[in-house]
Amino acid sequence: MDIEKVNSMDFGEFVDVFGNVVERCPLIAAAVWSQRPFSDLEDLEKHFFAFIDGLPQAGQEGVLRCHPDLAGCELQRGALSAESLREQSAAGLTSLGAAERLRLAELNAQYRARFGFPFVLAARLRDPEAVLRELARRLRCLPAQELRTALGEVKKIGRLRLADLLGGHPLGP
Ligand code: 2AL
């Protein structure tokens, strides 16, 4: 898909295609549509990220809360979005052994209790060991720093999803 095609989309089509660039936040795609035309993938991406950056803290935490836990109950129930399932599967989180699944559930619960939102990580760039290591490390971070880190991961996920949709290479970090 090229950028001319993106710029020609009506509102409904755009939200259908880009509604899950940010997990379960189609409102962001709905707002970004109003900013067309976009010059290229990077420009489109910039509008998604600027919307997130412009939210008040409660909105940013809301975006994080729209993410399913890694290897959590949505995965067990078969209730993940297609994108999330692909990412969690690429990280090996759909085939964890019982001990790893339990460890991840414990750390996810500790993280949520400490920060008030779920642990978010661009999973497809990792493997289960790296996910557990990063979760244990971030549990010790300060809340303000952790909010910034988590939103950075939301953007990494969005960048990779946009690259999937537009058939391009993801831009640099
Ligand atoms: C996710 C997800 O759904 N996809 C991904 O890369 N990370 N969720 C999360 N809690 O980090």
Side-chain angles (χ1 to χ4, degrees):
M1 190 191 328
D2 61 21
I3 203 71
E4 282 73 32
K5 165 73 185 142
V6 175
N7 287 330
S8 75
M9 288 178 178
D10 67 19
F11 175 77
E13 190 183 359
F14 187 89
V15 175
D16 273 353
V17 172
F18 294 105
N20 216 41
V21 165
V22 181
E23 178 73 15
R24 293 176 178 151
C25 293
L27 168 68
I28 301 183
V32 166
W33 179 79
S34 307
Q35 330 245 329
R36 74 200 187 291
F38 310 102
S39 49
D40 51 24
L41 167 60
E42 189 176 1
D43 185 43
L44 176 61
E45 180 185 287
K46 241 191 270 168
H47 284 92
F48 274 90
F49 295 175
F51 187 94
I52 295 172
D53 289 338
L55 288 171
Q57 183 172 331
Q60 293 178 336
E61 291 179 354
V63 167
L64 295 173
R65 291 188 187 111
C66 286
H67 287 70
D69 274 350
L70 294 174
C73 61
E74 289 94 340
L75 171 61
Q76 312 309 324
R77 282 192 283 118
L80 288 177
S81 67
E83 294 87 347
S84 179
L85 178 60
R86 200 172 335 118
E87 291 152 0
Q88 298 207 31
S89 172
L93 298 174
T94 50
S95 51
L96 291 180
E100 272 178 319
R101 194 162 51 239
L102 188 62
R103 178 79 184 128
L104 193 51
E106 281 170 1
L107 290 176
N108 269 332
Q110 283 177 35
Y111 183 99
R112 196 186 284 270
R114 172 157 162 70
F115 298 111
F117 47 78
F119 173 70
V120 174
L121 181 75
R124 76 166 107 168
L125 304 173
R126 314 285 177 138
D127 60 25
E129 208 177 293
V131 170
L132 282 164
R133 205 179 324 116
E134 187 63 2
L135 180 41
R137 185 189 72 75
R138 281 173 47 189
L139 251 175
R140 296 192 299 270
C141 292
L142 295 173
Q145 179 191 357
E146 191 46 34
L147 179 63
R148 279 196 302 276
T149 303
L151 291 171
E153 293 296 319
V154 170
K155 292 178 187 177
K156 274 188 216 165
I157 295 168
R159 172 172 292 143
L160 292 164
R161 290 182 179 183
L162 274 173
D164 285 344
L165 287 165
L166 287 154
H169 296 291
L171 305 160

